[in-house]
Amino acid sequence: MEQPVHHFSELFEQLGLPSDATAIEQFIKRHAPLPDEIALADAPFWNEAQANFLHDALEEDADWAEVVDHLDASLRKP
């Protein structure tokens, strides 16, 4: 069975955040760069539900994992 593909904007919707291109760009600019020693799910700007979702998506290699990895990479760039 093929895994569903989630778009970057859908991840923001799932996290309860504005998901238009401008809002996503502003979010990344506001929170990047995330230091290497801080796991994405442990970043201080997530609420508990968001952090749990991100952690579980990666831990379980869920269908969200690829787009969560994309978010992680985007937040690591200076």
Side-chain angles (χ1 to χ4, degrees):
M1 188 167 108
E2 194 172 315
Q3 291 187 343
V5 175
H6 296 288
H7 298 282
F8 208 40
S9 61
E10 291 173 343
L11 175 60
F12 278 75
E13 289 172 9
Q14 184 70 22
L15 293 168
L17 299 170
S19 59
D20 61 273
T22 301
I24 291 171
E25 184 179 331
Q26 289 174 346
F27 179 90
I28 291 169
K29 283 183 180 179
R30 185 170 51 249
H31 296 295
L34 184 62
D36 290 338
E37 63 273 7
I38 298 177
L40 176 64
D42 295 335
F45 45 83
W46 303 122
N47 66 35
E48 185 177 357
Q50 292 167 327
N52 288 339
F53 173 80
L54 294 167
H55 176 268
D56 292 347
L58 294 173
E59 184 72 22
E60 298 168 8
D61 197 24
D63 59 332
W64 288 100
E66 186 174 335
V67 73
V68 170
D69 282 339
H70 178 74
L71 174 60
D72 189 20
S74 295
L75 287 168
R76 303 292 174 180
K77 296 176 185 174

